[in-house]
Amino acid sequence: MDSKRLDLNLLVTLETLLVEQNVTKAATRLHLSQPAVSAQLNRLRHEFDDPLLIPAQRGMTPTAKALELLDPLRQALDQVRGAVARHRNFDAAKAKLTVAIACTDYLQAAVVKPLILKLRTRAPGVRVALRNLDMAQLDAQMARGDVDLALMTPQAAPPGLRTRHLFDEHYVLIGRRNHPRLRDGITVREFAQLEHVIVSLGDGGFVTPVDDALAALGHRRNVVLSAASFLFVPEIVSHSDFVALVPERLVRDRAAKLKLMDCPFPVEGFAVGMVWHERSHGHSGQRWIREAIVSLVDA
DNA sequence: TGTTACCACCCTAAGTACGT
DNA sequence: ACGTACTTAGGGTGGTAACA
């Protein structure tokens, strides 16, 4: 390979091809036609003296040499992107930027909602694309650039991603405003006798760590609804005699419509943080967004 | 089970735009 | 004028679904 002749743009194409493993999709991502990317792939094959990607049943399969290239190539390109982005000042008032954020609906309400309101006044050209948090796909989504930032428990982040702690969350017990059995000083027994709503995002199960804590105290609660959405819980609770343990920031601004109480026994909370990929670490706009989120949760 | 139609994907060929 | 890299057009291959 002659580095004096090598078109470095080809390396961006190679990185995209190796991530997508599909010439058509890579072409779409690169804003080129499929034949143009096919031609670039041929030049890359010539430069590296290797097929790099072999046609498969669906898309292309990378050769061993191509797989060997992916990590160092990605690191090198991320360094270049970071170096360029660091020297480009981010003017929030004028910048055009779309940031893709993945999180649960609880964090959409607790973090993204105030972020959006802040952006409208401070950075009107910045748009947010919300994505569902898919832990199995997160690493690949971030590598592809489909997700820029995830809001989640930092301990659950895939290895290799950057994390920053935002806040520690705790649970509160909620019921409708005039719930006849909710009063300060509720006992564990009374708690267990209520009809509970829980959130189970994955399997729709009816057991959470709270049930283990209750069992240790010799009690068992009656879970009548396993919800797939946090936001649905205050809604159903305010129209029934059901109760629920929910993250405090989910209902902080609904105190007028709900009865909020401390849980009658200790329930472990959880940490919330930001997770992002090395590729967006040095990007001045992405950094501005991350700092904006930090200042929001600290406020 | 074999045939057919359709779709996804990649390739080559030919024409075009642009810089030197 | 020439070289490079793009686009559109069109063809080949292989998988899948519908149907007799």
Side-chain angles (χ1 to χ4, degrees):
Chain A
M1 178 168 52
D2 181 353
S3 62
K4 288 177 187 165
R5 277 179 48 247
L6 175 65
D7 176 358
L8 296 180
N9 283 320
L10 288 178
L11 300 181
V12 178
T13 299
L14 178 56
E15 183 201 27
T16 310
L17 280 166
L18 291 176
V19 169
E20 293 292 344
Q21 297 189 8
N22 177 307
V23 176
T24 304
K25 287 179 183 167
T28 302
R29 181 175 289 276
L30 291 163
H31 304 289
L32 293 173
S33 67
Q34 181 274 319
V37 174
S38 179
Q40 292 187 1
L41 175 56
N42 271 331
R43 278 187 282 151
L44 283 159
R45 284 167 171 161
H46 181 73
E47 291 287 354
F48 287 100
D49 194 23
D50 185 272
L52 297 173
L53 289 139
I54 297 164
Q57 292 170 354
R58 275 277 185 271
M60 310 284 271
T61 302
T63 64
K65 186 166 185 172
L67 289 173
E68 224 171 75
L69 283 167
L70 179 58
D71 273 346
L73 187 61
R74 191 180 274 168
Q75 281 173 24
L77 291 173
D78 284 344
Q79 272 196 330
V80 172
R81 291 186 189 106
V84 171
R86 269 189 290 278
H87 288 284
R88 197 179 285 159
N89 290 327
F90 183 75
D91 184 345
K94 295 178 184 170
K96 295 279 183 197
L97 175 69
T98 299
V99 56
I101 299 176
C103 60
T104 61
D105 60 347
Y106 147 60
L107 288 167
Q108 288 175 19
V111 179
V112 180
K113 186 175 84 176
L115 173 67
I116 297 287
L117 297 176
K118 179 174 184 171
L119 290 177
R120 293 337 297 153
T121 55
R122 296 280 310 281
V126 175
R127 304 185 301 178
V128 172
L130 280 175
R131 306 260 187 268
N132 288 325
L133 185 63
D134 181 348
M135 291 306 297
Q137 295 294 320
L138 185 62
D139 204 11
Q141 287 173 325
M142 287 196 157
R144 284 199 302 268
D146 289 345
V147 170
D148 299 308
L149 191 63
L151 303 171
M152 56 186 287
T153 306
Q155 295 90 321
L161 297 177
R162 288 189 177 253
T163 62
R164 177 163 178 176
H165 177 269
L166 285 175
F167 57 87
D168 290 314
E169 180 61 288
H170 68 282
Y171 288 97
V172 292
L173 178 63
I174 62 167
R176 69 177 169 89
R177 193 84 192 106
N178 299 312
H179 195 295
R181 295 173 66 188
L182 279 191
R183 61 182 195 285
D184 292 332
I186 184 175
T187 65
V188 178
R189 173 187 289 274
E190 289 165 337
F191 172 89
Q193 286 170 344
L194 293 165
E195 291 184 312
H196 290 255
V197 178
I198 65 164
V199 175
S200 178
L201 298 177
D203 56 4
F206 285 84
V207 177
T208 74
V210 170
D211 296 280
D212 299 332
L214 261 184
L217 297 170
H219 295 281
R220 190 174 161 195
R221 67 175 171 173
N222 180 22
V223 177
V224 296
L225 173 64
S226 170
S229 150
F230 283 98
L231 292 179
F232 178 62
V233 176
E235 183 63 25
I236 187 74
V237 159
S238 64
H239 290 92
S240 68
D241 283 344
F242 301 156
V243 299
L245 278 174
V246 296
E248 190 269 336
R249 284 175 191 249
L250 181 71
V251 290
R252 185 177 282 181
D253 59 358
R254 298 182 197 225
K257 294 182 180 173
L258 294 166
K259 173 85 175 172
L260 271 62
M261 294 173 53
D262 288 333
C263 185
F265 59 97
V267 174
E268 197 174 342
F270 59 94
V272 172
M274 292 186 290
V275 177
W276 66 96
H277 194 272
E278 191 65 34
R279 69 185 304 154
S280 60
H281 181 65
H283 188 287
S284 57
Q286 299 284 350
R287 271 173 32 197
W288 188 91
I289 294 285
R290 293 196 295 269
E291 289 308 317
I293 291 173
V294 169
S295 66
L296 275 173
V297 300
D298 284 349

